[in-house]
Amino acid sequence: MTVLDRRRFLELCAAAALAPAAHASPRLRVVVAGAGIIGAAVAWHLAKAGAAVTVIDRDGPATHASRGSFAWINATWSKQPRAYHALNQAGVAGWKRLQPELRLPVRWGGSLEGSADAALAAELIERVAEQRDWGETTRLVEPAELATLEPDVDFSALRQVVYSANDGATDPVAATRVFLAAAVALGARAEYPCELTGVALTAGRVTAVRTSRGDIPADRLVLATGAAADAGRRFADWDLPQRDEPGATAVTTPMPRLIRRVLWLPGVHLHQRDDGRIVLGAEAGPPPGEAHVLRLQAYPNVFPEREIALQHATRMSAAAQSFVPGLAALEFEDVRICWRPMPLDGYPVLGASPARPDVYLAVMHSGVTLAPVVGALTVQEILGDAAVEVLKEFRPDRDFKASSGH
Ligand SMILES: Cc1cc2nc3c(=O)[nH]c(=O)nc-3n(C[C@H](O)[C@H](O)[C@H](O)COP(=O)(O)OP(=O)(O)OC[C@H]3O[C@@H](n4cnc5c(N)ncnc54)[C@H](O)[C@@H]3O)c2cc1C
């Protein structure tokens, strides 16, 4: 990827976000397939720019990755290389820009990333320098300050802790609903359950979108269908190579405040929302064993039984309790298995299908962080004809090389 100057990148993002509506006349009719955080943010930006928008989802809003997401909003060191890091920085800036306008539920306060491993601790020191070069305020934190930043957390087993003050976390279900409600308030239609089943074309141009509720006349289709790996081939005539990456999260009942920031700790990550609910994420995948392999083959979006869900939650809470002793006897409201929308090389796919110019692909991981900037930038491409320069690294026709990053 080419190296982008951060200031130039953020200027371009801000210019795109503030640009006047790019829609052509007559009003373009756009169907957004997928009502996760990406489809919701894109729909709101489109409606705001004057398009006639219909959002559909075969299950309902925020029912897949956007429901089970850990929902950390960040541009930390693992977001490599520079161009991808800069896109994430623009995502964080986008949340800060939109939060007052839409009343998005974000808790800011930064993140603390700890390492007990000597090699990783050494790497963190190098990465802090890189983060600062790239415009972040990231720094190493000493024990005395940790006691102030997180008085209820025991960091004594860790060698190194890094503080990234810019980060936050959201409630991804609530945030998705806020974007959708704001889109509807601007005239967008939302239909659920409504499955995208096909695309009607005349001379290669989209004229309607076929759905389980009938045809919807349309000029453009946005595929914000997340981890649905066959959507590219079926609707964009373009294969989008993705890899399978399940992840588990657990949400507790509301609790008195114990955690003030996002904590990324060995084996577990957690944060506590403003409503008191603690969100836990597992760092490792499922424990080895044939039962897991068999279960995952069916791409489940829920655990098959409450008991199995609770086993996963208990594993996460035991890891968390070793750092936060106050986390005893947790009650869980929701324990989820979800599939990350993960293009094969780990980077977002953003752009019109090379085979169908009216079908726009918007599939990515770190989609919670990226939703505001993706909405702001893609609307320029979906409604206007100009290609947004900063998205050129993320096109669907790039050479995908398998990687396990991001
Ligand atoms: C465990 C986990 C932890 C994560 N942690 C973070 C994090 O900390 N920070 C971060 O930034 N990102 C994180 N992510 C990634 C982030 O959650 C996703 O990138 C983001 O939610 C993707 O949103 P989406 O709208 O693209 O996909 P989804 O939320 O999956 O939505 C896609 C929607 O498309 C619908 N759909 C699919 N096919 C059709 C069809 N044919 N017709 C109609 N509808 C259809 C589905 O029903 C679904 O609702 C995490 C993901 C997981 C799974």
Side-chain angles (χ1 to χ4, degrees):
M1 288 187 178
T2 50
V3 176
L4 258 161
D5 170 68
R6 173 178 179 265
R7 181 181 295 175
R8 173 79 185 124
F9 187 98
L10 291 174
E11 277 169 8
L12 283 167
C13 293
L18 297 174
H23 63 89
S25 187
R27 223 171 148 216
L28 275 173
R29 301 161 302 174
V30 188
V31 172
V32 179
I37 190 94
I38 294 297
V42 170
W44 177 71
H45 281 89
L46 284 167
K48 201 173 179 208
V53 182
T54 305
V55 195
I56 63 171
D57 197 292
R58 68 180 164 201
D59 292 321
T63 43
H64 287 70
S66 303
R67 171 146 182 192
S69 184
F70 182 62
W72 180 16
I73 297 169
N74 74 90
T76 46
W77 63 272
S78 65
K79 304 280 176 80
Q80 298 284 342
R82 182 71 191 93
Y84 181 59
H85 186 273
L87 191 67
N88 280 271
Q89 284 181 309
V92 176
W95 280 99
K96 291 187 173 169
R97 191 181 64 243
L98 294 184
Q99 190 184 17
E101 180 178 352
L102 292 176
R103 297 189 179 195
L104 288 161
V106 187
R107 180 178 169 85
W108 299 104
S111 68
L112 291 163
E113 179 172 358
S115 170
D117 171 84
L120 179 58
E123 183 178 1
L124 280 183
I125 295 174
E126 276 174 35
R127 294 300 189 176
V128 164
E130 183 182 64
Q131 283 288 95
R132 296 181 76 85
D133 280 352
W134 290 356
E136 295 294 310
T137 56
T138 313
R139 59 189 171 80
L140 300 174
V141 203
E142 297 301 326
E145 190 183 355
L146 285 173
T148 317
L149 291 171
E150 285 290 3
D152 296 304
V153 181
D154 177 4
F155 293 96
S156 59
L158 303 179
R159 285 171 184 264
Q160 202 66 264
V161 181
V162 166
Y163 179 37
S164 301
N166 253 341
D167 299 0
T170 186
D171 173 341
V173 175
T176 301
R177 291 193 173 136
V178 167
F179 276 120
L180 289 169
V184 168
L186 290 171
R189 286 169 53 211
E191 301 212 8
Y192 333 110
C194 180
E195 180 170 0
L196 174 67
T197 55
V199 182
L201 300 164
T202 303
R205 305 308 302 251
V206 169
T207 53
V209 163
R210 303 207 186 288
T211 80
S212 53
R213 290 192 180 189
D215 285 4
I216 303 173
D219 306 299
R220 302 275 189 278
L221 168 64
V222 180
L223 285 182
T225 39
D230 58 348
R233 185 177 36 76
R234 286 178 66 200
F235 309 119
D237 195 18
W238 192 257
D239 202 17
L240 177 56
Q242 295 194 51
R243 58 186 201 237
D244 293 339
E245 280 198 22
T249 49
V251 181
T252 70
T253 51
M255 298 181 62
R257 181 133 319 268
L258 273 171
I259 300 160
R260 286 144 187 89
R261 296 153 216 290
V262 176
L263 301 177
W264 195 269
L265 303 169
V268 69
H269 34 278
L270 60 160
H271 63 85
Q272 188 169 14
R273 294 178 186 158
D274 280 337
D275 62 14
R277 290 178 171 83
I278 293 176
V279 184
L280 298 157
E283 193 176 308
E290 202 184 339
H292 282 101
V293 175
L294 286 175
R295 266 186 227 126
L296 290 175
Q297 275 172 3
Y299 294 97
N301 201 42
V302 288
F303 285 105
E305 295 158 25
R306 174 89 180 144
E307 197 188 320
I308 292 175
L310 286 178
Q311 283 168 8
H312 283 265
T314 306
R315 225 164 17 98
M316 290 185 245
S317 62
Q321 215 188 328
S322 66
F323 297 101
V324 192
L327 284 181
L330 296 180
E331 283 179 39
F332 294 98
E333 273 183 3
D334 198 14
V335 188
R336 284 268 143 188
I337 176 167
C338 275
W339 297 81
R340 300 169 197 273
M342 189 62 92
L344 194 60
D345 58 6
Y347 297 111
V349 170
L350 290 162
S353 161
R356 283 191 186 160
D358 297 333
V359 180
Y360 195 95
L361 294 145
V363 175
M364 71 213 73
H365 190 254
S366 284
V368 171
T369 300
L370 295 174
V373 68
V374 162
L377 296 180
T378 60
V379 72
Q380 302 295 311
E381 298 197 324
I382 296 163
L383 299 186
D385 286 330
V388 174
E389 185 194 337
V390 293
L391 297 181
K392 73 175 192 290
E393 310 283 355
F394 306 108
R395 298 305 184 196
D397 59 353
R398 65 179 181 256
D399 181 15
F400 287 87
K401 293 192 181 72
S403 107
S404 60
H406 329 296

